[in-house]
Amino acid sequence: MKILITGGAGFIGSHLAEALLDKGEKIHIIDNLSTGSLDNIEHSIKNQNFSYTIGTIMNEEVMDKLIRDCDCIYHLAAAVGVKLIMEKPLETIETNVKGTEIILRIANKYKKKVLVTSTSEIYGNHIQHKLREDDNRVMGPIKKWRWAYASSKTIDEFLALAYHIEKKLPIVIVRLFNTVGPRQTGAYGMVIPNFVQSALLGKPITIYGDGKQTRSFAYVKDIARAMIGLMAHPKAVGDVFNIGSEEEISINDLAKKIKKMANSSSEIVRISYEEAYGKGFEDMRRRTPDISKIKRLIGYRPSVTLDEIILRVIEYFKK
């Protein structure tokens, strides 16, 4: 099978490509390298079943050829990271909404199955319990730029479902919660690589806000395995699935854990959200998934604990 991965030189996309290559699939990726890197796919380039295009999903001529020639699509290309979202909200909205519309429209032309990656940000400020796929969403005010990303990915989901309902296009939607592992950069606000790098360098470990907000973290190879499992399952078509871990931790406790595991003397400090991101930022207090739906369908369970994830990230940055 020939598989197209958009955003395939990114952190998650490159691990997904590896997992599919291990299964003997032929992989072609497209990435504009805005947040991805050729370093992420350096080892895959040596595989005869791997090929790549450096370009943008906004180029409809290029995308028409790539989608026509593939059997299915994993659509990961998007504007990602809190820092980028806050600095470039227009680019975030255009890339996520227009880019996904192009992918879905051309996929429908050739009736190619698409897995669309969405985000836990979809749920907004919902904190009543672990987040379920059918929960109501609680968005902040329009002038808080943080919600531009969540809103753009909401449109992506509606577009995918509309193509499925009206055009019978086979689609699967996944909502990814915090994904962590080797090759992830802290440049766009990802918390674990930022904390680990600071701890190893003896720099202050900087928490944004009061640190009482809670998160859960899943290992990137578990995420890739789950996406492949859903793409292969016929009953996943036309539906939405959380992928993540239910192991919840506060950011304060995460900082302490990383400091201890890195044997670091770094000071733990806190700064306000406004100081970190400027005006227009609002954070959610809790973001942990209910993954019972994906467990029932494909038997997915995270195989790597948070402690083991942190150890692997520490070893990666030490190298």
Side-chain angles (χ1 to χ4, degrees), residues 251-299:
I251 299 302
N252 282 329
D253 288 342
L254 178 67
K256 293 173 187 175
K257 182 184 285 287
I258 289 173
K259 177 179 176 177
K260 182 178 180 180
M261 293 177 71
N263 193 26
S264 174
S265 60
S266 292
E267 179 186 7
I268 296 175
V269 299
R270 292 171 184 79
I271 64 173
S272 69
Y273 287 121
E274 187 168 309
E275 187 177 350
Y277 296 119
K279 293 182 179 180
F281 183 83
E282 186 175 32
D283 202 16
M284 60 284 295
R285 300 300 292 173
R286 187 184 188 196
R287 199 195 310 168
T288 300
D290 181 326
I291 56 173
S292 57
K293 187 175 179 180
I294 190 173
K295 283 181 182 178
R296 288 193 301 270
L297 189 67
I298 64 169

Side-chain angles (χ1 to χ4, degrees), residues 109-236:
K109 178 180 177 181
Y110 299 108
K111 293 302 179 187
K112 301 297 176 71
K113 188 174 185 178
V114 186
L115 181 142
V116 176
T117 53
S118 187
T119 172
S120 60
E121 298 259 341
I122 284 285
Y123 296 102
N125 271 326
H126 193 302
I127 60 170
Q128 301 308 312
H129 49 247
K130 290 180 180 178
L131 299 164
R132 297 189 300 261
E133 290 86 349
D134 58 355
D135 276 332
N136 290 328
R137 296 173 303 110
V138 184
M139 291 292 109
I142 196 73
K143 288 190 175 181
K144 298 289 186 180
W145 282 117
R146 172 61 178 270
W147 306 114
Y149 177 62
S151 298
S152 69
K153 297 303 282 186
T154 300
I155 294 297
D156 285 357
E157 290 196 20
F158 277 126
L159 274 171
L161 289 170
Y163 268 99
H164 175 66
I165 293 166
E166 293 186 31
K167 307 290 187 180
K168 309 305 179 187
L169 179 68
I171 61 95
V172 179
I173 298 170
V174 297
R175 292 176 182 163
L176 303 184
F177 284 68
N178 289 305
T179 306
V180 188
R183 299 203 292 266
Q184 185 178 38
T185 173
Y188 306 104
M190 282 58 173
V191 64
I192 285 184
N194 272 330
F195 282 5
V196 167
Q197 286 178 287
S198 295
L200 292 176
L201 294 171
K203 294 181 178 180
I205 299 172
T206 304
I207 293 171
Y208 300 155
D210 61 14
K212 294 179 182 179
Q213 64 272 32
T214 62
R215 298 290 186 267
S216 64
F217 300 90
Y219 193 56
V220 64
K221 292 187 184 300
D222 283 335
I223 297 295
R225 173 172 55 86
M227 287 195 286
I228 293 168
L230 288 171
M231 192 64 147
H233 202 295
K235 291 186 178 179

